[in-house]
């Protein structure tokens, strides 16, 4: 494809949108929460423990209920995850991450609707999930 002035203009504008996102308060809060999480030793220990437990859980899942440690590992992973999720740094990071996702979703919707209201725009990362909806709306139509 040959680069026309129209394509170059679209690329320049999209670069501008990217720079606006990187300079936004939402993204700054995300970066600060990420840095705080990375620097917090207690949070990192909880994350490390969760990752170790997750490896054990995945091993148990290969055999399902037939694995001798299925019950204990399943209960323990829930407990470890809850403990990790309740830590203030982890919770703040997850909130900031959701806010960035919402900002990106809103921008995607605005761009799509500026072209046509008929364009289906996935929300909340729905493009990565299977909703069972066959119309391509990401489950927003209610047809499933």
């Amino acid at each position: 494809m040959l680069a026309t002035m129209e394509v170059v203009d679209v690329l320049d504008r999209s670069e501008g949108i990217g720079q606006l996102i990187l300079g936004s308060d939402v993204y700054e809060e995300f970066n600060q929460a990420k840095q705080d999480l990375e620097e917090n030793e207690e949070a990192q220990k909880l994350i490390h423990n969760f990752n170790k437990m997750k490896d054990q859980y995945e091993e148990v899942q290969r055999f399902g209920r037939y694995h001798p440690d299925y019950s204990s590992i399943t209960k323990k992973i829930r407990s470890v995850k809850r403990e990790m999720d309740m830590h203030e740094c982890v919770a703040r990071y997850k909130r900031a991450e959701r806010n960035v996702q919402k900002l990106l979703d809103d921008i995607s919707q605005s761009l799509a609707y500026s072209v046509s209201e008929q364009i289906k725009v996935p929300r909340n990362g729905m493009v990565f999930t299977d909703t069972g909806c066959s119309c391509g709306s990401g489950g927003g139509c209610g047809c499933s």
Side-chain angles (χ1 to χ4, degrees):
M1 171 171 76
L2 298 174
T4 64
M5 289 307 291
E6 188 175 280
V7 172
V8 171
D9 184 46
V10 169
L11 291 174
D12 285 344
R13 289 179 185 214
S14 63
E15 178 69 27
I17 292 171
Q19 292 303 316
L20 288 172
I21 292 168
L22 293 176
S24 70
D25 292 342
V26 172
Y27 189 75
E28 290 296 322
E29 172 62 27
F30 171 75
N31 273 337
Q32 187 61 50
K34 183 179 177 185
Q35 183 178 358
D36 292 348
L37 179 65
E38 290 170 350
E39 293 173 355
N40 188 299
E41 290 181 24
E42 182 182 348
Q44 288 303 310
K45 182 179 176 187
L46 291 171
I47 292 168
H48 177 73
N49 289 343
F50 173 73
N51 286 331
K52 280 181 22 183
M53 181 52 78
K54 188 171 75 168
D55 291 340
Q56 292 177 2
Y57 178 76
E58 288 170 358
E59 179 66 27
V60 165
Q61 286 302 106
R62 286 185 32 213
F63 300 100
R65 295 190 181 276
Y66 301 107
H67 193 283
D69 297 330
Y70 177 81
S71 261
S72 64
I73 297 291
T74 302
K75 288 176 186 174
K76 190 166 183 174
I77 187 113
R78 287 187 196 131
S79 172
V80 169
K81 182 173 183 347
R82 186 178 315 111
E83 184 181 0
M84 178 188 71
D85 287 344
M86 295 302 288
H87 190 278
E88 179 55 37
C89 284
V90 174
R92 182 173 165 234
Y93 174 77
K94 287 187 173 194
R95 275 192 309 271
E97 193 175 44
R98 281 191 306 271
N99 289 339
V100 169
Q101 181 65 53
K102 183 180 180 328
L103 175 64
L104 295 173
D105 287 346
D106 291 345
I107 291 169
S108 296
Q109 182 174 359
S110 178
L111 288 171
Y113 287 178
S114 71
V115 175
S116 169
E117 292 278 333
Q118 303 307 313
I119 294 176
K120 306 297 184 214
V121 182
R123 302 286 297 178
N124 299 321
M126 291 299 289
V127 75
F128 301 114
T129 60
D130 181 16
T131 62
C133 175
S134 61
C135 76
S137 71
C141 65
C143 74
S144 53

